Amino acid sequence: MSGPEKQDDAEDGAKGSTEGSPKKASKGRALVIVESPAKARTINKYLGKDFVVKASMGHIRDLPKGKFGIDIEGGFEPEYTTIRGKGKVIAELKRLAKNARAVYLAPDMDREGEAIAWHLAAALGVDEEKLFRVVFNEVTKKAVLGAFDEPGKLDMDKVEAQQARRVLDRIMGYKLSPLLWKKIAKGLSAGRVQSVAVRLLVEREKEIRAFVSEEYWRVGATLDADGKEFGAELRRIGEKRIDKNLDETMAKAVISSIGEDPLELSELEVKPKTRRPTPPFTTSQLQQKASTMLRFSARKTMMIAQQLYEGIEIPGEGLVGLITYMRTDSTRVSNDALAQVRELIPKHFGPDYLPDKPNAFRTKSKGAQEAHEAIRPTDVSHVPDEIKKALTGDQFKLYNLIWRKFVGSQMMPARFDVTTVSFTHGKEVDGPGDEKGRPTFIAQGEVQLFDGHLRVFTQDSQSADKDDEQKLPTGLAKGQDHVPKGIEATQHFTQPPPRFSEATLVKELEKKGIGRPSTYATIISTIQDRGYVNLEARRFFATELGEIVTDRLVDHFGDLINVNFTSEMESNLDRVEEGKLPWSHVVGDFHQAFIKDLEKAETAMPSLKANPELTERKCEKCGSPMAVLYNKRGKFLGCSNYPECKNTMPVDGPREAPEVIETDYVCPNCKSPMVIRTGRRGKFLACTGFPKCKTTASVDEENKIVVAKPTGIECEKCKSEMIVKQSRRGPFLACSGFPKCRNAKPLPDELREKPRETDETCEKCGAGMVIKTSRWGKEFLACSGYPECKNTRAVAGAEGGQEESPDGDSSAA
């Protein structure tokens, strides 16, 4: 059983304890609606038998597909329609709401959650007197019951902020994408946020190409004291600091000048240093650390965090929400959580690790929502190693990261002694910028006195593992002479700025105010799905198509597709959410500027389709020059005589004729020899009498004919055995007497390959994901809640299940 079926058993038959449950306002059961079955099952056990908990399976209404759906003249009023496949869900919820004593809308506490709640209210048509909104930061008994004890009403400011974003994305997507189709290639898209993210990557790509590497030299000395070797590096000549400004001549002059002379220990300084803990995770920080430490993509991180938030089956406890809400830019922590972690620290690590008072942190992010909390364990006594068996491998890794980060954030600072030693040579040498002076080598070492929070969380940006930190000998003293055991000059070259990784891109998006915690993962997935960037060796490379589209957009929409405008727009959406700005004003201002640019671009933007670059290569069909063209998969060559000639070929030349392999097989129908050819779906056996005879057969990897598996099913027409055959629509039953008998029928369920269960959960509805096989024999992940949920994705981590749409950023949200 899967998806909604599981949910129904857990929900309708709930007999849970009602101790501490919200009091009934009147007779009958109350209806509670959340987004996913997993969340429904978890909160159901806290509410008890007086409540029916149902899942809406995400959004139930949206702007229409294939239609603009916005009344520009009517104040940008959107037209909402029921999402395909959600009719049965709405009908069931209406039936339950009609007889319910109260209806509680309990989607997530962010803008998307508020919008889902509002759409539910509109679709159900429930009297406002019995309609309530409940929000909770964590799916725990205390938080859930507390929310139901003080239910509220819909936050229309938050709804309007979400609606403004949706309308903005639809306007840009539906108006701008067709322009790209006309000017560059069919199937391209642009988005208010995605295009700015791509611009960051394209500009970095251009910086790297334009970078001119410069040579510089370093000089290092190997010294020893008390039988222990250590290194020192040339840092000054006279008063001139050495930093990538030393050339080969100067470096070798320093070595020649010193020769076998001793270096005098001229300065020795020991300073105490502390490394303070950093705050618990916000969304962007979690995505960054999960990327660098666990090698999780942003999408995978959010999917697993959703599972931990909505509830995991813990032996002896049932379903437990393990972490707080995972879409947040706040570092605030509740007093209860602080009290709990301050009780745990001395028990697990000793009293020396507990500060006198809780550590406080300032939220850095613009527009941070202080009603939210940082991402933390809901109950810090759920120590990762103690519940490891209840979690999948990936769930454990992420929960362990969150738990350690939170606990470490409330521990004492780590303490170090940092020793800096200067060694000077007596002779003056020539340095950079005509500087002449004595060369000074500096050695630095660090000794940890107290590990503090590093005992729990070591791989942090300012508290990285320092096991390889140089430790200097203890017998060093000012005035000593030390003869170097060796001095070496090494050649180096300046490096271009690095390409963005997922972690550094998320950091840059947050720094520049592009998007919000709930959108980072979607932005990163969308720009890859569109073919504008590739992720190779965990670094983003802008594609040629990405550069072409970005250059066109910047040339003609540069006032809108830039960091400052996008950041200001996000701030305006925050102001709408705060009730300080009407949503229609935000959309109206954008629309006025956008339409002005669009009208100019219709004529001013050069068309790659109308005026393609011609090559010297000739079309092998008609002799016309081949032209450079583009589609959403990149660059290809097309005949310039189109549409009279529709020949195409790869940029690197015409495809080689597929290999034909002779065999000993004879066609059973016409007795002609059969050969092995290669088609779109791989190798197959084909009759050489084609096209008069179209007999084919499947072959295996060793080019041997695949014998049909016996089914034991008799053909009702000719009494021959039915066999399993493959078509482009998948496997089917066919009579083995073909071609004399052409009887065929669908494959019965008992012969179909059964889906294999996995540990993964659907990010859209919370049901389990299973492995299925496509009609081409390729495995993919599919939601077990099908047909209510049709989410799919690739098994190996490639993005799947995305529907092509011109609808800008929102299409992947």
Side-chain angles (χ1 to χ4, degrees):
M1 208 168 7
S2 64
E5 288 82 5
K6 282 185 183 177
Q7 168 199 345
D8 290 342
D9 284 354
E11 295 158 358
D12 292 336
K15 302 287 184 184
S17 169
T18 58
E19 180 183 353
S21 296
K23 295 179 181 179
K24 292 189 288 184
S26 59
K27 291 182 179 180
R29 300 167 80 188
L31 174 63
V32 181
I33 307 175
V34 296
E35 306 100 309
S36 73
K39 187 174 174 183
R41 290 192 293 271
T42 304
I43 71 171
N44 183 75
K45 72 171 190 173
Y46 302 135
L47 296 177
K49 63 183 179 181
D50 294 323
F51 294 82
V52 179
V53 187
K54 289 288 182 180
S56 69
M57 313 298 283
H59 277 278
I60 61 167
R61 300 197 313 171
D62 196 7
L63 294 172
K65 284 189 177 292
K67 181 181 175 183
F68 186 47
I70 296 171
D71 184 359
I72 299 293
E73 303 302 324
F76 304 100
E77 196 63 32
E79 172 194 339
Y80 291 113
T81 59
T82 300
I83 295 173
R84 186 177 179 183
K86 292 298 179 74
K88 290 183 179 179
V89 175
I90 295 174
E92 173 69 2
L93 294 176
K94 275 186 174 181
R95 181 184 66 80
L96 293 170
K98 183 177 180 181
N99 299 317
R101 62 177 171 82
V103 176
Y104 294 91
L105 305 174
D108 290 341
M109 59 192 299
D110 60 4
R111 289 177 193 165
E112 288 298 318
E114 203 71 25
I116 291 173
W118 178 70
H119 283 296
L120 283 167
L124 299 181
V126 178
D127 291 340
E128 195 169 333
E129 296 75 33
K130 71 171 190 177
L131 187 69
F132 301 96
R133 174 78 168 112
V134 288
V135 293
F136 31 84
N137 186 54
E138 56 190 66
V139 189
T140 59
K141 184 174 183 178
K142 181 177 180 181
V144 170
L145 297 186
F148 277 82
D149 281 340
E150 297 182 3
K153 294 294 182 181
L154 286 167
D155 183 345
M156 289 309 299
D157 291 330
K158 194 176 283 188
V159 171
E160 289 178 352
Q162 189 276 344
Q163 181 167 271
R165 181 196 67 80
R166 190 71 185 92
V167 170
L168 286 167
D169 293 345
R170 173 57 65 103
I171 290 173
M172 176 169 273
Y174 261 73
K175 299 292 185 182
L176 188 49
S177 296
L179 177 67
L180 298 180
W181 300 348
K182 185 170 73 172
K183 299 288 187 177
I184 303 175
K186 194 78 173 173
L188 302 182
S189 74
R192 182 179 57 85
V193 178
Q194 77 171 53
S195 296
V196 179
V198 175
R199 181 177 179 178
L200 290 176
L201 299 175
V202 167
E203 288 178 347
R204 177 58 56 89
E205 200 73 35
K206 291 180 177 179
E207 284 181 60
I208 293 170
R209 280 205 297 266
F211 184 82
V212 179
S213 184
E214 295 181 358
E215 180 190 53
Y216 68 96
W217 287 72
R218 284 177 174 164
V219 178
T222 301
L223 305 161
D224 74 338
D226 303 329
K228 183 177 180 179
E229 289 188 359
F230 59 97
E233 187 172 347
L234 178 67
R235 295 285 183 84
R236 291 197 309 272
I237 292 180
E239 298 300 318
K240 188 74 171 181
R241 178 180 170 83
I242 303 300
D243 181 23
K244 299 181 182 179
N245 54 359
L246 197 69
D247 62 26
E248 182 180 10
T249 302
M250 296 174 190
K252 291 182 176 179
V254 169
I255 295 175
S256 176
S257 172
I258 294 173
E260 297 182 359
D261 294 348
L263 300 177
E264 179 190 358
L265 199 161
S266 54
E267 294 179 43
L268 191 153
E269 182 181 51
V270 180
K271 282 187 175 181
K273 177 180 174 182
T274 61
R275 288 199 184 91
R276 302 187 180 279
T278 51
F281 284 129
T282 60
T283 301
S284 66
Q285 281 292 317
L286 177 63
Q287 291 173 351
Q288 291 171 53
K289 291 301 175 189
S291 175
T292 56
M293 296 171 67
L294 306 180
R295 292 182 171 262
F296 286 0
S297 67
R299 172 174 281 188
K300 181 176 181 178
T301 298
M302 296 309 291
M303 181 186 71
I304 298 170
Q306 185 94 28
Q307 297 165 10
L308 297 173
Y309 165 71
E310 292 185 339
I312 301 293
E313 189 76 33
I314 304 295
E317 298 183 54
L319 283 163
V320 177
L322 290 176
I323 65 169
T324 53
Y325 192 54
M326 61 284 159
R327 295 184 182 94
T328 177
D329 46 12
S330 172
T331 57
R332 188 181 71 85
V333 176
S334 71
N335 291 332
D336 288 346
L338 288 174
Q340 197 180 48
V341 73
R342 286 179 63 79
E343 184 180 339
L344 175 134
I345 289 170
K347 288 180 180 178
H348 278 68
F349 308 103
D352 291 342
Y353 289 85
L354 182 69
D356 293 336
K357 61 181 182 180
N359 294 328
F361 304 98
R362 183 179 300 173
T363 295
K364 297 179 181 178
S365 179
K366 300 176 183 177
Q369 297 164 310
E370 288 303 319
H372 292 193
E373 282 193 60
I375 304 170
R376 60 167 176 81
T378 57
D379 184 347
V380 79
S381 66
H382 284 129
V383 178
D385 288 335
E386 294 176 4
I387 61 170
K388 186 173 183 177
K389 291 182 179 179
L391 306 173
T392 66
D394 287 342
Q395 287 171 347
F396 171 76
K397 289 176 184 176
L398 193 65
Y399 179 69
N400 187 48
L401 188 70
I402 293 168
W403 188 91
R404 291 183 176 279
K405 178 69 166 172
F406 173 62
V407 173
S409 72
Q410 290 300 322
M411 294 175 74
M412 288 290 288
R415 299 196 306 274
F416 300 83
D417 270 349
V418 179
T419 303
T420 304
V421 185
S422 299
F423 297 89
T424 306
H425 185 244
K427 297 179 183 176
E428 290 189 346
V429 295
D430 292 328
D434 298 328
E435 179 77 20
K436 196 174 181 70
R438 298 167 63 192
T440 298
F441 291 77
I442 293 178
Q444 197 169 60
E446 184 174 280
V447 177
Q448 186 181 87
L449 304 177
F450 177 62
D451 56 1
H453 66 99
L454 300 185
R455 180 170 173 182
V456 179
F457 196 87
T458 56
Q459 291 294 320
D460 192 69
S461 59
Q462 74 170 53
S463 55
D465 191 351
K466 295 292 180 180
D467 287 344
D468 59 350
E469 187 73 37
Q470 177 170 258
K471 295 176 177 60
L472 298 180
T474 56
L476 296 174
K478 190 173 182 178
Q480 292 175 342
D481 284 340
H482 292 264
V483 178
K485 297 188 71 174
I487 302 180
E488 183 183 15
T490 54
Q491 183 187 36
H492 301 269
F493 294 90
T494 55
Q495 297 298 311
R499 288 183 169 87
F500 287 104
S501 64
E502 280 212 17
T504 55
L505 181 56
V506 168
K507 184 177 181 179
E508 189 76 359
L509 293 174
E510 182 186 38
K511 175 184 174 183
K512 295 187 178 300
I514 301 170
R516 284 295 178 261
S518 60
T519 63
Y520 298 141
T522 300
I523 293 168
I524 289 172
S525 296
T526 300
I527 62 178
Q528 293 177 78
D529 294 341
R530 300 305 187 229
Y532 295 149
V533 300
N534 290 328
L535 189 62
E536 300 173 16
R538 296 173 56 78
R539 296 284 170 176
F540 284 111
F541 289 74
T543 64
E544 184 177 7
L545 180 62
E547 289 196 33
I548 289 171
V549 172
T550 299
D551 288 345
R552 296 295 190 278
L553 293 177
V554 170
D555 286 345
H556 300 279
F557 299 88
D559 56 330
L560 303 179
I561 298 178
N562 67 61
V563 167
N564 293 335
F565 180 85
T566 305
S567 176
E568 184 181 349
M569 181 61 70
E570 294 294 346
S571 298
N572 285 338
L573 293 176
D574 290 340
R575 292 175 65 198
V576 172
E577 183 173 339
E578 295 162 3
K580 297 177 180 177
L581 191 63
W583 75 273
S584 58
H585 287 192
V586 175
V587 175
D589 291 345
F590 168 81
H591 182 262
Q592 185 177 3
F594 173 68
I595 291 300
K596 184 179 178 182
D597 287 349
L598 184 65
E599 290 173 351
K600 291 181 180 177
E602 288 283 355
T603 54
M605 182 184 286
S607 173
L608 286 180
K609 295 178 74 174
N611 302 292
E613 175 191 348
L614 298 180
T615 69
E616 295 180 358
R617 192 171 296 159
K618 300 296 183 182
C619 173
E620 68 268 25
K621 292 186 177 180
C622 72
S624 300
M626 298 296 285
V628 177
L629 300 173
Y630 294 85
N631 60 22
K632 61 182 179 180
R633 289 180 292 276
K635 183 163 64 174
F636 68 99
L637 295 182
C639 182
S640 59
N641 194 30
Y642 179 89
E644 284 73 17
C645 178
K646 298 180 180 180
N647 185 31
T648 64
M649 66 175 68
V651 173
D652 54 3
R655 298 179 181 89
E656 294 181 4
E659 182 183 12
V660 177
I661 303 173
E662 295 183 356
T663 73
D664 295 330
Y665 293 112
V666 176
C667 176
N669 297 316
C670 73
K671 307 306 179 185
S672 297
M674 298 193 77
V675 295
I676 293 175
R677 297 185 183 276
T678 303
R680 287 183 301 169
R681 301 192 291 277
K683 292 181 178 180
F684 66 98
L685 202 62
C687 180
T688 55
F690 181 86
K692 290 182 179 180
C693 180
K694 299 181 180 179
T695 303
T696 61
S698 300
V699 293
D700 59 19
E701 293 180 356
E702 297 178 356
N703 293 339
K704 293 180 180 178
I705 193 167
V706 177
V707 179
K709 296 179 182 178
T711 64
I713 300 174
E714 185 180 89
C715 173
E716 65 270 23
K717 291 185 177 180
C718 73
K719 307 304 179 183
S720 299
E721 185 176 23
M722 302 291 283
I723 58 175
V724 178
K725 286 193 171 185
Q726 295 287 337
S727 77
R728 62 189 181 89
R729 295 182 179 178
F732 67 100
L733 275 183
C735 180
S736 59
F738 180 87
K740 291 181 179 179
C741 179
R742 297 177 178 267
N743 187 24
K745 59 177 64 178
L747 199 67
D749 290 341
E750 60 267 22
L751 293 181
R752 292 185 181 275
E753 184 178 347
K754 300 294 187 291
R756 306 198 306 274
E757 293 187 357
T758 70
D759 293 332
E760 297 201 41
T761 303
C762 176
E763 64 271 25
K764 292 188 177 180
C765 74
M769 299 292 281
V770 295
I771 294 177
K772 292 186 176 182
T773 305
S774 74
R775 65 184 62 163
W776 317 121
K778 188 173 182 180
E779 292 186 339
F780 65 98
L781 282 173
C783 180
S784 59
Y786 180 87
E788 285 79 10
C789 178
K790 298 179 181 178
N791 184 30
T792 64
R793 62 176 182 269
V795 172
E799 309 301 349
Q802 293 296 327
E803 194 167 330
E804 287 298 334
S805 168
D807 195 11
D809 299 308
S810 299
S811 59

